[in-house]
């Protein structure tokens, strides 16, 4: 198996650096061979730039992929949006020779060439396939006695034909990873539904997009959980910052802590909430943090 | 529906070529019934697909930008129509016609300037240092040659012209 290069994207390093720290701490602690992909740019975001111009979207994605090809490493993404762009662009360019040549003409201008020699991985998919819930369980130092609402996010699962992770209607692999940490993954209505942020909707039509988030938040609240666990910093932002935005618009407070899986994993591996940047969220929930710190 | 003009005919042909498989639509409504955006916004993806096969007016339809690209419709469509691909194609044709939401133009500017749609800010620089991370992430933001490469690529693809120097009066869509 090839080693990995860590692709950060935009939202993780520039808005939720706690997720970057959690990812780095967990990878090191689990002895996963991964280096940082230096000089990478925006993936570029699928909902925005794929919508605006396919060639520019492909060319920028290709440059990011080439940086990792030059290292002989697969790319590890920690974001559903980055995964969507890089995995789709990688496949499209591997399959379509004419398109690959067109993109390579642009890349020639910066002295690079897309070869199609690596794969794109998502940390959830990677951990499940390569270590499995049991393998993860072996690393757990602090089993988490909490109830979690898992949010898969759309682009981890779909298009399912390309992702190959099984049914998008009732997926289980992410729940299994959460349960491997001792936590309980709670079922709730509309569990696989969209957070509302993707497709450029959050950026251009924020209030509309928040109605989708609010729908999910109210379902999750009814189910009674300790936190939401996601696989994507953009869903993370929509649920975390979104709770504050919804409060401003509607006055409704949900006060549900939001964790990226790498942060939940980090807690189970023994890191403190501070080290994982959990307190850098907009929604601070001291009860949750204290419970973790006091070993429940 | 708009009067067919020579320009419109060309545009409609481009749209039809890009969204060929939408012509197979049997109007069953599985897509719109599966659409989370349709539950909370005005978008009706079944009608949008139908409209895309008939008129260039769809390019100005605000509904086109209400899709979160969640793929539910495409996953469930019994005619195997790549609906999200069609949405991407229609949006891109719209953008090439000068139709883009103002906020999307702004984010495109950020990409050109910083290589990131969401660049770093002072608050996060501080948080990064406190966490023990590099103050500036090791992305193009700390790599001037990399940023130059990004800009060269965007220019070579004509992206700067597409999203930058457009007449602001065009940057509107009509509400359906
Ligand atoms: S699900 Fe497919 S066939 Fe049915 S209305 Fe939608 S696009 Fe048409
Ligand atoms: S991909 Fe877009 S149109 Fe299709 S179901 Fe999701 S939000 Fe609706």
């Amino acid at each position: 198996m090839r080693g990995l290069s860590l692709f950060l994207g935009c939202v993780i390093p520039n808005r939720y650096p706690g997720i970057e720290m959690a990812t780095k701490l967990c990878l090191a602690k689990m002895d996963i061979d991964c280096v940082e992909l230096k000089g990478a740019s925006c993936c570029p975001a699928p909902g925005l730039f794929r919508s605006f111009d396919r060639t520019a979207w492909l060319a920028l994605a290709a440059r990011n992929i080439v940086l990792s090809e030059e290292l002989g490493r697969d790319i590890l993404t920690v974001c559903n949006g980055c995964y969507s762009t890089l995995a789709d662009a990688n496949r499209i360019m591997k399959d379509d020779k004419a398109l690959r040549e067109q993109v390579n003409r642009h890349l020639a201008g910066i002295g690079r060439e897309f070869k199609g020699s690596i794969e794109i991985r998502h940390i959830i998919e990677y951990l499940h396939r390569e270590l499995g819930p049991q393998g993860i369980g072996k690393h757990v130092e602090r089993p988490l006695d909490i109830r979690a609402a898992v949010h898969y996010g759309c682009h981890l699962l779909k298009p399912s034909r390309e992702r190959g992770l099984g049914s998008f209607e009732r997926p289980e692999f992410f729940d299994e990873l959460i349960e491997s940490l001792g936590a309980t993954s709670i079922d709730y209505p509309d569990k696989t539904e969209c957070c509302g942020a993707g497709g450029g909707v959050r950026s251009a039509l924020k209030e509309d997009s928040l109605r989708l988030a609010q729908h999910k938040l109210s379902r999750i609240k009814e189910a009674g959980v300790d936190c939401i666990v996601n696989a994507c910093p953009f869903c993370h932002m929509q649920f975390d910052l979104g709770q504050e935005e919804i409060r401003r618009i509607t006055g409704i407070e949900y006060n549900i802590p939001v964790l990226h899986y790498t942060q939940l994993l980090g807690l189970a591996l023994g890191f403190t909430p501070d080290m994982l940047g959990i307190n850098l969220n907009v929604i601070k929930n001291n009860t949750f943090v204290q419970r973790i710190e006091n070993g429940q | 529906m708009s009067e067919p003009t020579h320009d419109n005919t060309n545009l409609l042909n481009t749209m039809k070529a890009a969204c060929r498989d939408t012509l197979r639509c049997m109007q069953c409504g599985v897509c719109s019934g599966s659409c989370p955006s349709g539950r909370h916004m005005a978008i009706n993806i079944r009608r949008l697909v139908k409209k895309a096969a008939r008129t260039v007016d769809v390019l100005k339809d605000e509904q086109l930008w209400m899709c979160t690209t969640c793929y539910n419709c495409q996953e469930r469509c019994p005619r195997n129509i790549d609906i999200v691909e069609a949405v991407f194609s229609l949006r891109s044709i719209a953008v090439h016609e000068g139709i883009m939401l103002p906020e999307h133009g702004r984010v495109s500017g950020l990409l050109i300037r910083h290589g990131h749609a969401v660049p770093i800010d002072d608050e996060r620089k501080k948080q990064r240092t406190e966490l023990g991370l590099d103050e500036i992430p090791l992305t193009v933001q700390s790599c001037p040659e990399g940023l130059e490469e990004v800009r060269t690529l965007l220019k070579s693809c004509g992206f700067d012209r597409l999203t930058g120097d457009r007449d602001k009066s065009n940057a509107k869509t009509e509400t359906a």
Side-chain angles (χ1 to χ4, degrees):
Chain A
M1 190 177 41
R2 271 187 295 267
L4 300 169
S5 77
L6 177 62
F7 182 85
L8 294 174
C10 298
V11 182
I12 290 179
N14 299 334
R15 288 298 176 272
Y16 285 97
I19 302 175
E20 178 176 336
M21 195 61 193
T23 304
K24 289 177 172 170
L25 289 171
C26 292
L27 291 172
K29 183 127 190 198
M30 299 171 89
D31 232 352
I32 294 170
D33 173 19
C34 187
V35 300
E36 192 151 346
L37 188 60
K38 291 184 183 149
S41 66
C42 179
C43 52
L48 296 167
F49 306 112
R50 189 173 182 177
S51 293
F52 304 160
D53 187 79
R54 193 166 184 246
T55 312
W57 170 73
L58 279 173
L60 233 53
R63 175 179 172 276
N64 287 325
I65 294 169
V66 167
L67 292 179
S68 196
E69 286 186 349
E70 290 170 0
L71 300 174
R73 288 172 176 270
D74 287 342
I75 286 183
L76 182 69
T77 59
V78 193
C79 164
N80 290 0
C82 300
Y83 183 50
S84 171
T85 274
L86 296 177
D88 285 354
N90 198 36
R91 177 181 42 78
I92 290 169
M93 285 183 293
K94 279 185 184 183
D95 290 352
D96 187 334
K97 188 158 172 275
L99 203 53
R100 182 169 71 238
E101 282 167 3
Q102 188 196 341
V103 171
N104 270 335
R105 279 196 290 278
H106 292 291
L107 287 174
I110 59 165
R112 300 194 189 267
E113 184 191 358
F114 173 89
K115 297 207 167 69
S117 59
I118 61 162
E119 302 297 328
I120 311 298
R121 313 294 303 259
H122 185 293
I123 193 156
I124 299 299
E125 164 270 326
Y126 180 90
L127 291 174
H128 195 270
R129 277 208 177 105
E130 307 302 338
L131 283 86
Q134 283 192 330
I136 301 275
K138 284 189 194 132
H139 291 275
V140 171
E141 288 179 12
R142 172 165 56 194
L144 304 171
D145 179 20
I146 57 164
R147 292 161 57 87
V150 59
H151 172 78
Y152 279 78
C154 303
H155 296 130
L156 174 59
L157 300 165
K158 298 169 277 183
S160 59
R161 185 180 57 200
E162 323 296 354
R163 298 291 179 264
L165 289 165
S167 156
F168 85 98
E169 300 277 10
R170 290 195 73 80
E172 288 176 353
F173 59 94
F174 194 4
D175 302 76
E176 289 168 8
L177 285 190
I178 286 174
E179 304 227 316
S180 73
L181 310 179
T184 309
S185 175
I186 302 299
D187 240 341
Y188 62 95
D190 297 326
K191 185 168 150 186
T192 54
E193 205 153 292
C194 178
C195 71
V201 180
R202 182 181 159 87
S203 68
L205 307 166
K206 191 187 280 174
E207 290 205 10
D208 291 314
S209 106
L210 286 172
R211 282 203 292 276
L212 276 76
Q214 188 175 2
H215 174 80
K216 282 212 79 161
L217 285 165
S218 61
R219 295 289 205 229
I220 289 168
K221 191 79 186 175
E222 283 160 19
V225 299
D226 298 306
C227 63
I228 296 172
V229 181
N230 59 71
C232 169
F234 205 39
C235 306
H236 186 99
M237 177 186 262
Q238 176 80 340
F239 287 128
D240 178 48
L241 179 55
Q243 285 185 61
E244 172 57 18
E245 292 163 339
I246 289 166
R247 188 193 61 77
R248 270 186 243 142
I249 298 166
T250 67
I252 300 173
E253 281 188 50
Y254 291 98
N255 203 24
I256 310 171
V258 181
L259 277 76
H260 189 278
Y261 180 73
T262 51
Q263 295 175 307
L264 192 76
L265 175 62
L267 290 173
L269 297 188
F271 299 109
T272 66
D274 268 354
M275 292 169 85
L276 302 163
I278 290 168
N279 56 338
L280 298 177
N281 275 352
V282 176
I283 300 300
K284 323 262 185 223
N285 185 314
N286 291 329
T287 326
F288 176 78
V289 172
Q290 274 161 17
R291 259 186 76 186
I292 300 288
E293 279 175 339
N294 301 336
Q296 283 102 38
Chain B
M1 203 184 284
S2 320
E3 288 299 308
T5 63
H6 179 64
D7 265 12
N8 277 358
T9 314
N10 280 346
L11 203 53
L12 194 59
N13 288 340
T14 311
M15 285 165 51
K16 280 189 176 158
C19 314
R20 242 177 339 231
D21 53 349
T22 61
L23 299 172
R24 294 202 306 267
C25 172
M26 59 181 179
Q27 292 295 310
C28 68
V30 167
C31 51
S32 34
S34 302
C35 176
S37 293
R39 287 166 79 176
H40 304 280
M41 295 178 231
I43 179 173
N44 181 323
I45 189 65
R46 177 187 60 82
R47 278 204 219 120
L48 213 59
V49 166
K50 185 177 180 184
K51 202 168 162 184
R54 283 169 179 74
T55 160
V56 298
D57 288 353
V58 74
L59 299 176
K60 288 193 221 147
D61 194 326
E62 201 180 28
Q63 289 184 28
L64 195 51
W65 300 95
M66 293 179 185
C67 164
T68 65
T69 70
C70 81
Y71 285 96
N72 274 5
C73 53
Q74 180 168 318
E75 291 285 339
R76 292 186 183 143
C77 170
R79 285 276 163 98
N80 282 326
I81 296 171
D82 285 345
I83 302 170
V84 182
E85 285 304 325
V87 168
F88 281 134
S89 300
L90 292 169
R91 285 178 170 187
S92 157
I93 294 167
V95 167
H96 284 255
E97 288 297 303
I99 303 165
M100 190 189 233
L101 297 172
E103 189 57 21
H104 289 162
R106 198 186 69 82
V107 180
S108 300
L110 291 175
L111 180 70
I112 296 169
R113 273 196 300 288
H114 304 281
H116 284 283
V118 183
I120 190 84
D121 59 18
D122 287 341
E123 188 189 343
R124 272 55 174 229
K125 282 188 199 164
K126 192 161 155 275
Q127 291 178 352
R128 294 183 58 85
T129 320
E130 283 164 12
L131 280 166
L133 293 165
D134 300 280
E135 183 181 27
I136 312 277
L138 299 180
T139 63
V140 279
Q141 292 174 119
S142 60
C143 174
E145 320 83 72
L147 184 56
E148 220 26 71
E149 288 187 18
V150 167
R151 289 188 180 147
T152 306
L153 275 180
L154 288 174
K155 203 174 236 124
S156 147
C157 298
F159 186 79
D160 49 341
R161 285 196 309 280
L162 193 63
T163 57
D165 309 324
R166 279 178 311 99
D167 178 1
K168 285 276 184 293
S169 63
N170 286 339
K172 279 197 233 112
T173 62
E174 289 167 5
T175 312

